[in-house]
Amino acid sequence: MRGDRLVSILLLLQANGKMTAKQLAEKMEVSERTIYRDMDALSGTGIPVIADQGKNGGWRLLENYRTNLTGLKESEIRALFVPQSPQLLKDLGLTRTSEEARNKLMASLPESYRHNGEEIWNRIHVDTGTWRKQKETIGAFDVLKEAIWKNHKIKMEYRSGDGTVSIRIVEPLGLVAKGSRWYFIASKENGEIRNYRASRILSAFPLEETFKRPEDFNLSQYWNESTNTFIERLPNYDVQIEAAPSILPRLTFTDRFVRLVDVEGENNRGWIPVKLSFNTEEEAKGYILGFGNQIKVIEPKELQEKVFEAAQSIVDFYSIREDD
Protein backbone atom coordinates (compact mmCIF):
# COMPACT_ATOMS: atom_id res chain seq x y z
CA MET A 1 0.00 0.00 0.00
CA ARG A 2 2.71 2.46 0.98
CA GLY A 3 4.86 1.35 -1.93
CA ASP A 4 2.06 2.17 -4.38
CA ARG A 5 1.67 5.59 -2.74
CA LEU A 6 5.38 6.35 -3.05
CA VAL A 7 5.28 5.47 -6.75
CA SER A 8 2.22 7.69 -7.21
CA ILE A 9 3.94 10.61 -5.45
CA LEU A 10 7.00 10.17 -7.64
CA LEU A 11 4.91 10.23 -10.82
CA LEU A 12 2.96 13.28 -9.61
CA LEU A 13 6.17 15.22 -8.98
CA GLN A 14 7.50 14.17 -12.35
CA ALA A 15 4.32 15.35 -14.08
CA ASN A 16 3.73 18.58 -12.14
CA GLY A 17 7.24 19.79 -11.40
CA LYS A 18 6.51 21.02 -7.87
CA MET A 19 3.77 20.27 -5.35
CA THR A 20 3.16 21.26 -1.74
CA ALA A 21 2.64 18.77 1.07
CA LYS A 22 -1.00 19.87 1.23
CA GLN A 23 -1.56 19.21 -2.47
CA LEU A 24 0.08 15.79 -2.26
CA ALA A 25 -1.92 14.92 0.87
CA GLU A 26 -5.18 15.76 -0.89
CA LYS A 27 -4.23 13.71 -3.94
CA MET A 28 -3.18 10.72 -1.86
CA GLU A 29 -6.01 11.15 0.68
CA VAL A 30 -3.60 11.03 3.63
CA SER A 31 -2.36 13.54 6.20
CA GLU A 32 0.44 16.03 5.53
CA ARG A 33 2.45 14.31 8.26
CA THR A 34 2.25 11.07 6.27
CA ILE A 35 3.48 12.91 3.16
CA TYR A 36 6.53 14.21 5.06
CA ARG A 37 7.34 10.65 6.13
CA ASP A 38 6.88 9.44 2.54
CA MET A 39 9.25 12.12 1.24
CA ASP A 40 11.88 11.00 3.75
CA ALA A 41 11.37 7.44 2.51
CA LEU A 42 11.81 8.47 -1.13
CA SER A 43 14.95 10.41 -0.28
CA GLY A 44 16.30 7.42 1.65
CA THR A 45 16.03 5.23 -1.46
CA GLY A 46 18.31 7.60 -3.39
CA ILE A 47 15.62 9.47 -5.35
CA PRO A 48 16.69 13.15 -5.60
CA VAL A 49 13.74 14.84 -3.88
CA ILE A 50 14.27 18.53 -3.09
CA ALA A 51 12.29 20.62 -0.58
CA ASP A 52 12.04 24.31 -1.48
CA GLN A 53 11.29 26.60 1.45
CA GLY A 54 9.33 29.87 1.54
CA LYS A 55 6.06 31.20 0.16
CA ASN A 56 6.38 29.41 -3.18
CA GLY A 57 7.99 26.34 -1.69
CA GLY A 58 7.12 22.70 -2.15
CA TRP A 59 8.57 19.36 -3.14
CA ARG A 60 10.21 18.72 -6.52
CA LEU A 61 12.59 16.31 -8.20
CA LEU A 62 16.12 17.24 -9.18
CA GLU A 63 16.10 18.84 -12.63
CA ASN A 64 16.14 16.35 -15.54
CA TYR A 65 15.48 13.38 -13.22
CA ARG A 66 13.08 10.86 -14.75
CA THR A 67 11.88 7.59 -13.32
CA ASN A 68 11.74 4.53 -15.52
CA LEU A 69 8.50 3.20 -14.01
CA THR A 70 6.38 2.02 -16.94
CA GLY A 71 4.40 -0.90 -15.52
CA LEU A 72 0.63 -0.44 -15.40
CA LYS A 73 -1.82 -2.30 -13.20
CA GLU A 74 -5.05 -3.62 -14.71
CA SER A 75 -7.07 -1.09 -12.70
CA GLU A 76 -4.83 1.73 -13.99
CA ILE A 77 -5.41 0.64 -17.58
CA ARG A 78 -9.14 0.71 -16.96
CA ALA A 79 -8.87 4.23 -15.55
CA LEU A 80 -6.95 5.40 -18.64
CA PHE A 81 -9.51 3.96 -21.05
CA VAL A 82 -12.74 5.07 -19.35
CA PRO A 83 -14.57 6.92 -22.17
CA GLN A 84 -14.82 10.70 -22.22
CA SER A 85 -18.08 12.54 -22.77
CA PRO A 86 -18.59 12.85 -26.57
CA GLN A 87 -20.45 16.14 -26.15
CA LEU A 88 -17.77 17.75 -23.99
CA LEU A 89 -15.03 16.62 -26.38
CA LYS A 90 -17.02 18.10 -29.27
CA ASP A 91 -17.42 21.40 -27.39
CA LEU A 92 -13.65 21.54 -26.89
CA GLY A 93 -12.93 20.58 -30.50
CA LEU A 94 -11.04 17.48 -29.34
CA THR A 95 -13.15 14.63 -30.73
CA ARG A 96 -10.69 13.51 -33.42
CA THR A 97 -7.65 14.28 -31.24
CA SER A 98 -9.08 12.11 -28.47
CA GLU A 99 -9.67 9.21 -30.85
CA GLU A 100 -6.13 9.45 -32.23
CA ALA A 101 -4.63 9.60 -28.73
CA ARG A 102 -6.71 6.62 -27.67
CA ASN A 103 -5.50 4.60 -30.65
CA LYS A 104 -1.85 5.53 -29.99
CA LEU A 105 -2.22 4.58 -26.33
CA MET A 106 -3.75 1.26 -27.33
CA ALA A 107 -0.91 0.57 -29.76
CA SER A 108 1.68 1.30 -27.06
CA LEU A 109 0.29 -1.35 -24.70
CA PRO A 110 1.61 -4.90 -24.62
CA GLU A 111 -0.58 -7.34 -26.55
CA SER A 112 -1.81 -8.96 -23.32
CA TYR A 113 -3.25 -5.61 -22.11
CA ARG A 114 -4.93 -4.40 -25.32
CA HIS A 115 -8.00 -6.55 -24.83
CA ASN A 116 -8.63 -4.90 -21.44
CA GLY A 117 -8.59 -1.45 -23.05
CA GLU A 118 -11.00 -2.48 -25.81
CA GLU A 119 -13.36 -4.06 -23.29
CA ILE A 120 -13.68 -0.74 -21.42
CA TRP A 121 -15.08 0.96 -24.55
CA ASN A 122 -17.61 -1.85 -25.00
CA ARG A 123 -18.79 -1.86 -21.38
CA ILE A 124 -18.82 1.81 -20.30
CA HIS A 125 -20.18 4.89 -22.05
CA VAL A 126 -20.37 8.40 -20.57
CA ASP A 127 -23.25 10.65 -21.65
CA THR A 128 -23.47 14.07 -19.95
CA GLY A 129 -26.43 15.26 -22.04
CA THR A 130 -29.99 15.66 -20.78
CA TRP A 131 -33.01 13.62 -21.86
CA ARG A 132 -34.59 16.63 -23.53
CA LYS A 133 -31.39 17.52 -25.41
CA GLN A 134 -31.36 21.10 -24.11
CA LYS A 135 -27.92 22.29 -25.12
CA GLU A 136 -26.79 25.76 -24.08
CA THR A 137 -25.47 28.02 -26.83
CA ILE A 138 -22.04 29.51 -26.07
CA GLY A 139 -21.19 31.98 -28.80
CA ALA A 140 -17.89 33.05 -27.24
CA PHE A 141 -16.58 29.55 -26.50
CA ASP A 142 -13.75 29.62 -29.05
CA VAL A 143 -12.52 32.96 -27.71
CA LEU A 144 -12.57 31.62 -24.14
CA LYS A 145 -10.60 28.50 -25.05
CA GLU A 146 -7.96 30.45 -26.98
CA ALA A 147 -7.53 33.04 -24.21
CA ILE A 148 -7.09 30.31 -21.59
CA TRP A 149 -4.25 28.66 -23.48
CA LYS A 150 -2.48 31.91 -24.42
CA ASN A 151 -2.99 33.78 -21.10
CA HIS A 152 -4.62 36.75 -22.81
CA LYS A 153 -6.99 39.00 -20.90
CA ILE A 154 -10.46 39.27 -22.42
CA LYS A 155 -13.15 41.90 -22.43
CA MET A 156 -16.56 40.30 -22.13
CA GLU A 157 -20.20 41.27 -22.01
CA TYR A 158 -21.91 39.22 -19.31
CA ARG A 159 -25.56 38.82 -18.33
CA SER A 160 -26.03 38.05 -14.63
CA GLY A 161 -28.79 35.83 -13.26
CA ASP A 162 -31.01 38.86 -12.61
CA GLY A 163 -30.72 39.96 -16.24
CA THR A 164 -28.23 42.77 -15.64
CA VAL A 165 -25.67 43.13 -18.46
CA SER A 166 -22.17 44.45 -17.66
CA ILE A 167 -18.77 44.78 -19.34
CA ARG A 168 -15.88 43.07 -17.55
CA ILE A 169 -12.16 42.63 -18.16
CA VAL A 170 -10.93 39.33 -16.73
CA GLU A 171 -7.97 36.95 -16.71
CA PRO A 172 -9.08 33.48 -17.93
CA LEU A 173 -8.03 30.58 -15.71
CA GLY A 174 -10.08 27.61 -16.90
CA LEU A 175 -13.28 25.94 -18.02
CA VAL A 176 -15.30 23.50 -15.91
CA ALA A 177 -18.03 21.19 -17.20
CA LYS A 178 -20.80 20.61 -14.65
CA GLY A 179 -23.04 18.01 -16.22
CA SER A 180 -23.66 19.40 -19.71
CA ARG A 181 -23.08 23.03 -18.67
CA TRP A 182 -19.81 24.92 -18.98
CA TYR A 183 -18.53 27.41 -16.41
CA PHE A 184 -15.79 29.92 -17.13
CA ILE A 185 -13.35 30.54 -14.26
CA ALA A 186 -11.55 33.88 -14.36
CA SER A 187 -9.76 36.35 -12.12
CA LYS A 188 -10.91 39.95 -11.86
CA GLU A 189 -8.44 42.83 -11.96
CA ASN A 190 -8.41 42.94 -8.14
CA GLY A 191 -7.34 39.28 -8.00
CA GLU A 192 -10.74 37.89 -6.99
CA ILE A 193 -11.57 34.62 -8.75
CA ARG A 194 -15.15 34.25 -9.99
CA ASN A 195 -17.29 31.63 -11.75
CA TYR A 196 -19.24 32.67 -14.85
CA ARG A 197 -21.85 30.57 -16.60
CA ALA A 198 -20.43 30.37 -20.11
CA SER A 199 -23.82 30.59 -21.85
CA ARG A 200 -24.40 34.01 -20.23
CA ILE A 201 -21.31 35.49 -21.87
CA LEU A 202 -22.92 37.47 -24.67
CA SER A 203 -19.63 38.39 -26.36
CA ALA A 204 -15.92 38.18 -25.66
CA PHE A 205 -12.91 39.83 -27.25
CA PRO A 206 -9.24 38.92 -26.61
CA LEU A 207 -6.99 41.79 -25.57
CA GLU A 208 -3.34 42.19 -26.51
CA GLU A 209 -2.44 42.37 -22.83
CA THR A 210 -1.33 39.09 -21.27
CA PHE A 211 -1.18 38.10 -17.60
CA LYS A 212 0.84 35.78 -15.39
CA ARG A 213 -1.14 32.77 -14.28
CA PRO A 214 -1.03 32.24 -10.47
CA GLU A 215 1.53 29.52 -9.76
CA ASP A 216 -0.45 28.07 -6.84
CA PHE A 217 -3.82 27.96 -8.67
CA ASN A 218 -5.28 24.46 -9.00
CA LEU A 219 -8.49 24.41 -11.04
CA SER A 220 -9.84 21.13 -9.65
CA GLN A 221 -9.16 22.11 -6.05
CA TYR A 222 -10.63 25.57 -6.57
CA TRP A 223 -13.81 24.19 -8.14
CA ASN A 224 -14.37 21.68 -5.34
CA GLU A 225 -13.96 24.38 -2.70
CA SER A 226 -16.19 26.78 -4.65
CA THR A 227 -18.88 24.12 -5.04
CA ASN A 228 -18.83 23.26 -1.33
CA THR A 229 -19.07 26.94 -0.41
CA PHE A 230 -22.02 27.41 -2.77
CA ILE A 231 -23.87 24.43 -1.28
CA GLU A 232 -23.23 25.62 2.29
CA ARG A 233 -24.66 29.06 1.48
CA LEU A 234 -27.85 27.75 -0.11
CA PRO A 235 -30.96 28.77 1.86
CA ASN A 236 -32.82 25.96 3.59
CA TYR A 237 -36.59 25.57 3.91
CA ASP A 238 -37.79 22.30 5.52
CA VAL A 239 -41.29 20.97 4.98
CA GLN A 240 -43.08 18.07 6.68
CA ILE A 241 -45.62 16.39 4.40
CA GLU A 242 -47.66 13.24 4.08
CA ALA A 243 -47.44 11.59 0.67
CA ALA A 244 -49.54 8.99 -1.10
CA PRO A 245 -47.52 5.74 -1.35
CA SER A 246 -47.84 5.73 -5.16
CA ILE A 247 -45.77 8.92 -5.60
CA LEU A 248 -42.91 8.06 -3.24
CA PRO A 249 -40.50 7.03 -6.07
CA ARG A 250 -41.25 10.32 -7.88
CA LEU A 251 -40.60 12.72 -5.03
CA THR A 252 -37.06 13.61 -6.08
CA PHE A 253 -37.42 12.85 -9.80
CA THR A 254 -37.19 16.52 -10.70
CA ASP A 255 -34.65 19.20 -11.59
CA ARG A 256 -35.87 21.46 -8.78
CA PHE A 257 -33.80 22.12 -5.67
CA VAL A 258 -35.51 19.55 -3.47
CA ARG A 259 -33.90 17.04 -1.14
CA LEU A 260 -35.60 14.10 0.54
CA VAL A 261 -34.45 14.26 4.17
CA ASP A 262 -36.44 11.55 5.94
CA VAL A 263 -39.10 8.94 5.12
CA GLU A 264 -41.16 7.08 7.72
CA GLY A 265 -43.37 4.04 7.41
CA GLU A 266 -46.98 4.24 6.26
CA ASN A 267 -49.26 5.57 9.02
CA ASN A 268 -52.70 4.28 10.02
CA ARG A 269 -54.36 6.65 7.52
CA GLY A 270 -52.50 5.16 4.56
CA TRP A 271 -50.12 8.10 4.08
CA ILE A 272 -46.33 8.19 4.34
CA PRO A 273 -44.76 10.96 6.48
CA VAL A 274 -41.87 12.58 4.58
CA LYS A 275 -39.54 15.47 5.35
CA LEU A 276 -38.41 17.52 2.33
CA SER A 277 -35.91 20.36 2.11
CA PHE A 278 -36.10 23.22 -0.41
CA ASN A 279 -34.22 26.45 -1.00
CA THR A 280 -37.24 28.72 -0.61
CA GLU A 281 -40.90 28.71 0.36
CA GLU A 282 -41.85 29.60 -3.22
CA GLU A 283 -40.08 26.53 -4.60
CA ALA A 284 -41.79 24.34 -2.00
CA LYS A 285 -45.22 25.72 -2.89
CA GLY A 286 -44.78 25.15 -6.63
CA TYR A 287 -43.43 21.65 -6.11
CA ILE A 288 -46.27 20.58 -3.81
CA LEU A 289 -48.97 22.03 -6.07
CA GLY A 290 -47.62 19.86 -8.88
CA PHE A 291 -48.67 16.71 -6.99
CA GLY A 292 -52.27 17.87 -6.48
CA ASN A 293 -54.16 15.80 -3.91
CA GLN A 294 -51.33 13.29 -3.48
CA ILE A 295 -49.41 15.46 -0.98
CA LYS A 296 -50.66 16.99 2.27
CA VAL A 297 -48.63 19.74 3.96
CA ILE A 298 -48.31 19.19 7.71
CA GLU A 299 -45.69 21.80 8.66
CA PRO A 300 -45.19 24.71 8.45
CA LYS A 301 -48.81 25.85 8.78
CA GLU A 302 -48.23 29.06 6.81
CA LEU A 303 -47.15 26.99 3.79
CA GLN A 304 -50.31 24.92 4.15
CA GLU A 305 -52.36 28.12 3.91
CA LYS A 306 -50.41 29.42 0.92
CA VAL A 307 -50.81 26.16 -1.00
CA PHE A 308 -54.55 26.29 -0.32
CA GLU A 309 -54.76 29.91 -1.50
CA ALA A 310 -52.79 29.14 -4.67
CA ALA A 311 -54.97 26.10 -5.43
CA GLN A 312 -58.11 28.15 -4.83
CA SER A 313 -56.90 30.88 -7.21
CA ILE A 314 -56.36 28.26 -9.91
CA VAL A 315 -59.89 26.93 -9.40
CA ASP A 316 -61.29 30.46 -9.55
CA PHE A 317 -59.32 31.22 -12.71
CA TYR A 318 -60.67 28.22 -14.60
CA SER A 319 -64.19 28.75 -13.22
CA ILE A 320 -64.51 31.98 -15.19
CA ARG A 321 -66.53 31.43 -18.37
CA GLU A 322 -66.62 33.99 -21.10
CA ASP A 323 -69.96 34.74 -22.68
CA ASP A 324 -70.52 33.04 -26.02
Side-chain angles (χ1 to χ4, degrees), residues 23 28 49 51 53-54 56 58 97 103 110 131-132 135 145 161 176 178 183 203 240 242 248 271 300 313:
Q23 290 171 331
M28 295 294 101
V49 178
Q53 305 298 322
N56 297 318
T97 304
N103 292 334
W131 291 111
R132 297 184 183 274
K135 179 170 167 41
K145 289 187 294 183
V176 173
K178 178 73 170 176
Y183 289 86
S203 62
Q240 187 68 46
E242 288 185 352
L248 196 60
W271 292 80
S313 67

Side-chain angles (χ1 to χ4, degrees), residues 20 23 28 66 106 130-131 137 151 160 180 201 265 303 318:
T20 65
Q23 290 171 331
M28 295 294 101
R66 286 291 181 270
M106 178 66 74
T130 61
W131 291 111
T137 301
N151 290 341
S160 300
S180 60
I201 299 175
L303 177 63
Y318 282 101

Side-chain angles (χ1 to χ4, degrees), residues 70-275:
T70 55
L72 288 174
K73 301 176 185 177
E74 184 176 349
S75 60
E76 292 169 339
I77 293 175
R78 289 178 180 174
L80 284 174
F81 282 92
V82 169
Q84 308 272 348
S85 163
Q87 183 58 59
L88 299 184
L89 287 173
K90 183 179 179 181
D91 289 344
L92 293 170
L94 296 175
T95 301
R96 173 169 288 187
T97 304
S98 175
E99 292 174 355
E100 291 173 351
R102 185 180 68 179
N103 292 334
K104 289 178 181 178
L105 180 59
M106 178 66 74
S108 69
L109 289 175
E111 184 67 33
S112 58
Y113 286 141
R114 291 179 189 174
H115 179 70
N116 291 339
E118 292 172 349
E119 282 298 294
I120 295 295
W121 300 332
N122 290 328
R123 295 172 187 263
I124 298 175
H125 178 72
V126 177
D127 182 1
T128 57
T130 61
W131 291 111
R132 297 184 183 274
K133 298 295 182 183
Q134 295 179 340
K135 179 170 167 41
E136 294 186 329
T137 301
I138 309 175
F141 205 60
D142 288 341
V143 175
L144 301 182
K145 289 187 294 183
E146 190 75 7
I148 287 170
W149 291 119
K150 294 186 175 180
N151 290 341
H152 274 276
K153 292 185 178 182
I154 66 169
K155 183 178 182 180
M156 68 180 189
E157 187 180 19
Y158 186 73
R159 184 182 66 244
S160 300
D162 60 2
T164 304
V165 176
S166 60
I167 304 295
R168 312 182 186 194
I169 295 178
V170 297
E171 300 174 351
L173 297 177
L175 286 163
V176 173
K178 178 73 170 176
S180 60
R181 289 177 177 170
W182 283 101
Y183 289 86
F184 176 55
I185 315 302
S187 174
K188 297 169 65 176
E189 292 182 308
N190 63 1
E192 180 186 2
I193 299 176
R194 296 287 301 275
N195 306 339
Y196 302 93
R197 189 158 159 180
S199 61
R200 291 180 182 163
I201 299 175
L202 305 180
S203 62
F205 305 94
L207 303 178
E208 291 295 327
E209 185 180 0
T210 60
F211 66 96
K212 185 177 181 180
R213 188 179 178 87
E215 292 184 4
D216 59 347
F217 178 75
N218 181 293
L219 181 61
S220 176
Q221 180 180 332
Y222 164 79
W223 180 256
N224 289 334
E225 292 174 354
S226 175
T227 300
N228 291 335
T229 300
F230 174 78
I231 293 173
E232 289 171 0
R233 291 178 178 176
L234 285 175
N236 193 58
Y237 185 79
D238 292 338
V239 179
Q240 187 68 46
I241 66 166
E242 288 185 352
S246 61
I247 69 166
L248 196 60
R250 295 166 47 209
L251 283 182
T252 56
F253 193 73
T254 174
D255 60 356
R256 295 177 184 268
F257 281 91
V258 57
R259 184 167 61 93
L260 194 151
V261 178
D262 187 43
V263 180
E264 299 179 21
E266 187 173 324
N267 60 28
N268 56 13
R269 299 186 302 278
W271 292 80
I272 299 177
V274 177
K275 185 177 181 180

